[in-house]
Amino acid sequence: MTSTSHTPRRPSAAAGRVDQAQMRAANMALILRHLRAHGGRSRARLAAETGLSKATMSSLISDLAERGLVREGQLHRAGTVGRPGLTVELDGRRVCGLGIEINVDYVALAAVDLSGTVIRESSTPVDVPRLPVDAVLDRVATLVNRMLDSIREAGLIVAGLTVSPPGVIDYAAGSVRFAPNLGWRNVPIVAELADRIGPDVPPIHLENDAKLGAVAEYAAWAPEGVSDLLYLSGDVGVGAGIIAEGRLIRGWSGFSGEVGHLPLDPEGRQCGCGRTGCWETIVGLSALLRLAAPEDDEVQDPTRPLEDRLHTLHTRADAGDERTLAALRQITDDLARGLSVLVDVLNPEVIVLGGYFAFFGDYLLEPLGAALAERRMDEGSGARLVVSRLGISSTARGGAIVALEDVFDNPTLIDTH
Amino acid sequence: MTSTSHTPRRPSAAAGRVDQAQMRAANMALILRHLRAHGGRSRARLAAETGLSKATMSSLISDLAERGLVREGQLHRAGTVGRPGLTVELDGRRVCGLGIEINVDYVALAAVDLSGTVIRESSTPVDVPRLPVDAVLDRVATLVNRMLDSIREAGLIVAGLTVSPPGVIDYAAGSVRFAPNLGWRNVPIVAELADRIGPDVPPIHLENDAKLGAVAEYAAWAPEGVSDLLYLSGDVGVGAGIIAEGRLIRGWSGFSGEVGHLPLDPEGRQCGCGRTGCWETIVGLSALLRLAAPEDDEVQDPTRPLEDRLHTLHTRADAGDERTLAALRQITDDLARGLSVLVDVLNPEVIVLGGYFAFFGDYLLEPLGAALAERRMDEGSGARLVVSRLGISSTARGGAIVALEDVFDNPTLIDTH
DNA sequence: CAAACTTAGTTAGGACACTGGCCGAACGAA
DNA sequence: TTCGTTCGGCCAGTGTCCTAACTAAGTTTG
């Protein structure tokens, strides 16, 4: 259990073998997922809905209860007649996952328990680019250890950690290949953190922010039956997370959804990546600020907190400031062009806008939706466009969920009390 | 077994339940896939490689052999000492799948057996747009019935059919929603064909051509460990098929990979779809012909067979004709722009060019590869660019493979001899 | 040339997971 | 109070995979 796992899962022959233990684990997993998707219900109803027999259901539920993953709730009157059942529901008091977002000027942590409740959350200002890598890792490890202690004191097991650095990840090596905004290059973050976290290191996963955003949003949409979702994170950089048929699509080497550098700007501005015409040069945060205000305007002052600056812009838009509104219109147009590409390629059912796009959702959503609808080739090809409700914490939250996913895949990973 | 299944598989709670029969079926499926991916080998080696015990392997193999899915081959000397093992390999003499491509001017059929061998192939000229829908369906059914009879006479079971119309599909209804080049609208093709094929109708699947091309190509690449592949079909229309982590990505309603209408033409030509600037207006077959020759040139003569016209163009290019070469260069540039979008979004390991792109592979491949490599953000983000070797039959072949996939998913669908 | 060794495949016994039927418990309705 | 319904537990039965021992068929060694 102290092994660090950071490689993306690949289909492999050995993994496919099924024996009785795995059969039982798979059925236990089925019950957990069913409870997560549809909420608490009686054993009898679970049996009917999953197709398992009542006897098996009783056995599996008592097994899950011994592991502290489910608990019995109140009596529940299903119909009008007959003996009422005892509600079985996910028990959040035993297991949680922990997500760690390392960003340019802060480190955010979020712990989510098995029932999906955020039980711990923290955000700590850290000037990452100015500090040596070692110092940052020490700082992160301290924050993580503190939270681990607090969680464990409360009697919970941490099923896993997910670290999310803002940059290009080498999954196989468990390292950050390149994080321009941090000034990091080839940092073996998984091994370094594992060394600094002790003595019991939960498995450490590594994933990028847009993918984790997609996971966090998908957790909210899955109960409604959505299985194809696209998450678009709007920050200085722009990235997408893709969920297809309920699974996170990572691509061959984890670079799926790198949409910030799609060549979509006909005027071909210079991008930080060295190429020209990248999408994020026209819809990224810098583009909004540049379009909405002159260089010496307060919203372009990097010493002011970003949230305040966005708030200022939003207030101006609300007051009818023409330049701000024009900037938002421009962003909308350019966003629509890129989104229409993503819709054509991926055909998602739901598109979730995150980051600063979410902040300006009231201005972007409607015209964007109209622009997309206009391009619709056919009923069914259009997507529902919504705004993230998770805010800044979506990355850390998604990380926690990814870590928990291991338990939902195989509940027997958690030992009996 | 006579039910027609055409809906895309969706994750569902009931499907997840595992019992002992499914455990055995899953292990049998594992063996079949392992044999398909790695070729014939002894029971002992299969046991070691899959993780199953030798005893279980013996039992499963004899079960599979009774169903006619595997057979014993020659003695195979693994090491130097010890008893030599008997090779177990896929047996193609019992089961096959049948793919049916309905195109504008022909209907192509391909039957592929369990071992991946194409055992029947046919292509029949049919002037689909000129004929009433009923007449076309009658004609298709006749062709299918004839091939079914021939296959069944040879003692094979047809595990399933896959029909591929060139148009927008309604999976849920099993119908062709709109096929502009055929003049079809709302044709319930699955039900109509099921009625006309008798008396034993295998399950009928429905899938579009680019997706089937991807499936057919993936079948060739999977043994090399590729699990993320993009297939790009180049015809008058342009479409993509996406394989991610070994699975065909259909999108929410089956419209994934509709890349022909990506807004990538800065000059914004009018497209048949009603919008402007669609990718296929600059890289589709019509664009090549328009760029390479004047309107009254023989290559633009629709009465000549397409293959001849392409051949003419290729000969001209070989002879150094400047206009043809310039056209190919232009196509290359525009193709690269779109492909780079797809690479950024999907991060495939392999990109397979099909259709007319494959025909001009010797001119397109190298400059395209260079253009993509130039845009590479990082090692690992680049994709291998190759040309399809399957040619025109890839759609029908992919259809046959899709039908066979049911057997690879659950070998117990095939009864004992 | 025969005994020892090595590897392949089969057989027997055991552990274990799901099923199905039966039973008591708990409740509403008559 | 009695009947019918539903919930959940219990137990025997079936079937799967696993381990271990065994037979089979070669090679190597003395």
Side-chain angles (χ1 to χ4, degrees):
Chain A
M1 276 288 278
T2 55
S3 73
T4 58
S5 82
H6 45 76
T7 50
R9 288 157 214 138
R10 292 249 151 256
S12 111
R17 159 182 163 263
V18 187
D19 61 12
Q20 287 162 114
Q22 287 188 33
M23 177 166 80
R24 194 165 174 86
N27 285 329
M28 285 167 68
L30 176 68
I31 295 170
L32 284 191
R33 288 187 190 285
H34 195 83
L35 288 174
R36 178 169 68 172
H38 303 108
R41 57 204 52 223
S42 73
R43 291 169 177 78
R45 194 164 163 204
L46 276 172
E49 288 168 350
T50 60
L52 289 161
S53 69
K54 285 194 303 168
T56 304
M57 187 53 64
S58 277
S59 162
L60 291 173
I61 292 291
S62 78
D63 198 338
L64 286 169
E66 275 173 32
R67 294 174 198 276
L69 303 178
V70 303
R71 64 176 166 196
E72 277 183 350
Q74 294 107 0
L75 251 68
H76 177 255
R77 188 142 300 108
T80 57
V81 300
R83 172 179 168 181
L86 284 161
T87 299
V88 175
E89 57 194 9
L90 290 182
D91 186 349
R93 297 167 304 177
R94 183 85 198 286
V95 178
C96 72
L98 181 57
I100 305 156
E101 177 191 8
I102 301 178
N103 214 317
V104 177
D105 49 3
Y106 67 91
V107 172
L109 271 61
V112 177
D113 72 20
L114 202 72
S115 65
T117 310
V118 179
I119 56 168
R120 296 278 192 294
E121 216 165 5
S122 84
S123 182
T124 313
V126 179
D127 190 358
V128 178
R130 296 279 174 87
L131 290 168
V133 173
D134 268 347
V136 173
L137 291 172
D138 288 343
R139 190 95 188 82
V140 170
T142 304
L143 289 167
V144 170
N145 274 325
R146 194 179 304 159
M147 190 167 281
L148 283 179
D149 288 345
S150 149
I151 291 170
R152 285 171 173 160
E153 234 165 74
L156 280 89
I157 294 169
V158 179
L161 316 178
T162 307
V163 201
S164 176
V168 181
I169 286 169
D170 182 339
Y171 289 93
S175 67
V176 181
R177 216 197 282 267
F178 181 43
N181 300 332
L182 266 45
W184 287 14
R185 196 175 279 280
N186 292 322
V187 177
I189 190 166
V190 169
E192 293 289 338
L193 278 183
D195 280 349
R196 286 172 170 81
I197 299 171
D200 280 326
V201 193
I204 303 181
H205 304 78
L206 189 57
E207 196 57 271
N208 93 25
D209 58 339
K211 293 190 179 68
L212 291 182
V215 168
E217 293 294 339
Y218 175 63
W221 282 94
E224 299 185 34
V226 170
S227 58
D228 295 89
L229 177 147
L230 178 73
Y231 174 77
L232 192 71
S233 85
D235 204 309
V236 174
V238 172
I242 304 164
I243 305 278
E245 292 181 24
R247 302 155 59 95
L248 178 65
I249 301 299
R250 289 193 174 84
W252 169 43
S253 38
F255 293 155
S256 73
E258 291 295 333
V259 298
H261 303 280
L262 293 180
L264 289 174
D265 176 15
E267 296 181 29
R269 277 177 197 75
Q270 184 69 37
C271 176
C273 74
R275 302 181 307 207
T276 59
C278 296
W279 196 27
E280 65 183 41
T281 63
I282 51 174
V283 300
L285 186 55
S286 312
L288 172 71
L289 299 177
R290 184 185 66 235
L291 290 167
E295 252 184 69
D296 55 354
D297 191 280
E298 55 172 332
V299 302
Q300 301 242 38
D301 177 4
T303 63
R304 284 189 62 202
L306 181 58
E307 213 169 321
D308 293 356
R309 294 188 275 158
L310 292 179
H311 215 274
T312 304
L313 274 185
H314 204 287
T315 310
R316 287 185 193 164
D318 291 344
D321 176 65
E322 192 41 49
R323 175 154 183 183
T324 308
L325 290 172
L328 287 170
R329 280 196 299 273
Q330 180 65 47
I331 297 280
T332 304
D333 285 352
D334 292 330
L335 210 44
R337 202 160 61 256
L339 274 181
S340 71
V341 167
L342 294 174
V343 168
D344 282 350
V345 175
L346 297 168
N347 180 218
E349 180 173 2
V350 173
I351 298 174
V352 182
L353 297 180
Y356 95 81
F357 300 141
F359 192 82
F360 288 101
D362 43 353
Y363 285 95
L364 299 175
L365 220 47
E366 208 177 315
L368 261 183
L372 288 183
E374 201 179 304
R375 287 191 81 264
R376 256 177 25 169
M377 311 179 55
D378 199 70
E379 39 187 311
S381 70
R384 268 165 87 182
L385 192 68
V386 299
V387 146
S388 165
R389 280 155 298 179
L390 301 180
I392 210 82
S393 73
S394 74
T395 300
R397 233 185 250 216
I401 294 171
V402 163
L404 276 177
E405 215 59 27
D406 290 346
V407 178
F408 279 101
D409 280 345
N410 182 3
T412 62
L413 289 176
I414 304 298
D415 290 332
T416 303
H417 264 150
Chain B
M1 278 288 278
T2 54
S3 74
T4 58
S5 82
H6 44 77
T7 51
R9 287 156 214 140
R10 291 251 152 253
S12 108
R17 160 181 164 264
V18 186
D19 61 13
Q20 288 164 118
Q22 285 187 33
M23 176 166 80
R24 195 167 174 85
N27 284 330
M28 287 166 66
L30 176 68
I31 295 170
L32 285 190
R33 288 187 190 284
H34 195 84
L35 288 174
R36 177 168 68 170
H38 304 109
R41 55 202 55 219
S42 72
R43 292 169 176 79
R45 193 166 163 202
L46 276 171
E49 289 169 349
T50 59
L52 290 160
S53 70
K54 285 195 302 172
T56 305
M57 188 54 63
S58 274
S59 163
L60 291 173
I61 293 291
S62 80
D63 197 339
L64 286 169
E66 274 172 33
R67 294 175 199 275
L69 303 178
V70 302
R71 63 176 165 195
E72 278 183 349
Q74 295 106 2
L75 250 68
H76 177 256
R77 187 141 298 108
T80 59
V81 301
R83 172 179 168 182
L86 284 160
T87 299
V88 175
E89 57 194 10
L90 289 181
D91 187 349
R93 298 167 303 179
R94 183 87 199 286
V95 178
C96 72
L98 182 57
I100 305 155
E101 177 190 6
I102 302 179
N103 214 317
V104 177
D105 49 4
Y106 66 91
V107 172
L109 272 59
V112 176
D113 72 20
L114 202 72
S115 66
T117 309
V118 178
I119 55 168
R120 296 277 193 294
E121 217 165 4
S122 82
S123 182
T124 313
V126 179
D127 190 359
V128 178
R130 296 281 175 86
L131 291 167
V133 174
D134 268 348
V136 174
L137 291 172
D138 287 343
R139 189 96 187 80
V140 170
T142 305
L143 290 167
V144 170
N145 274 324
R146 194 179 304 160
M147 190 166 280
L148 282 178
D149 288 344
S150 148
I151 291 170
R152 286 170 172 160
E153 234 165 72
L156 279 89
I157 295 170
V158 178
L161 316 178
T162 307
V163 201
S164 177
V168 181
I169 287 168
D170 183 340
Y171 290 93
S175 67
V176 181
R177 215 197 282 267
F178 180 45
N181 300 332
L182 266 45
W184 286 14
R185 196 176 279 279
N186 292 323
V187 177
I189 190 167
V190 169
E192 294 289 339
L193 278 182
D195 280 350
R196 288 173 170 81
I197 298 172
D200 280 325
V201 193
I204 303 180
H205 304 78
L206 187 58
E207 196 56 89
N208 93 25
D209 59 339
K211 292 190 180 66
L212 291 181
V215 168
E217 294 293 339
Y218 175 63
W221 282 94
E224 299 185 34
V226 171
S227 58
D228 295 89
L229 178 147
L230 179 73
Y231 175 78
L232 193 70
S233 85
D235 205 310
V236 174
V238 172
I242 304 164
I243 306 278
E245 293 183 21
R247 303 154 59 94
L248 178 64
I249 301 298
R250 289 192 174 85
W252 169 42
S253 39
F255 293 154
S256 73
E258 293 294 336
V259 298
H261 302 281
L262 291 180
L264 289 174
D265 176 14
E267 295 180 30
R269 279 177 194 74
Q270 185 68 38
C271 177
C273 73
R275 302 183 305 208
T276 58
C278 295
W279 196 27
E280 66 184 43
T281 62
I282 52 173
V283 299
L285 187 54
S286 310
L288 172 70
L289 298 177
R290 183 185 67 233
L291 290 167
E295 254 184 67
D296 54 354
D297 192 281
E298 56 173 331
V299 302
Q300 302 242 40
D301 176 3
T303 64
R304 284 188 61 202
L306 181 58
E307 213 171 322
D308 293 356
R309 293 188 275 157
L310 291 179
H311 215 273
T312 304
L313 273 186
H314 203 288
T315 310
R316 286 185 194 166
D318 291 345
D321 177 67
E322 193 42 49
R323 175 153 184 181
T324 309
L325 290 172
L328 287 170
R329 278 195 300 273
Q330 181 64 47
I331 296 279
T332 304
D333 285 352
D334 291 330
L335 210 43
R337 203 161 60 256
L339 275 180
S340 71
V341 167
L342 295 173
V343 168
D344 282 350
V345 175
L346 297 168
N347 181 217
E349 181 173 1
V350 172
I351 299 173
V352 181
L353 298 180
Y356 96 80
F357 299 142
F359 192 82
F360 288 101
D362 43 353
Y363 285 94
L364 299 176
L365 220 46
E366 210 177 314
L368 261 183
L372 287 182
E374 200 179 305
R375 287 191 81 264
R376 250 175 34 166
M377 312 180 52
D378 198 71
E379 39 186 313
S381 71
R384 268 164 88 181
L385 192 67
V386 300
V387 146
S388 165
R389 280 156 296 180
L390 300 180
I392 209 82
S393 72
S394 75
T395 300
R397 231 186 252 217
I401 293 172
V402 164
L404 275 177
E405 216 58 26
D406 290 346
V407 179
F408 280 101
D409 281 344
N410 183 3
T412 61
L413 289 176
I414 305 298
D415 289 332
T416 302
H417 263 150

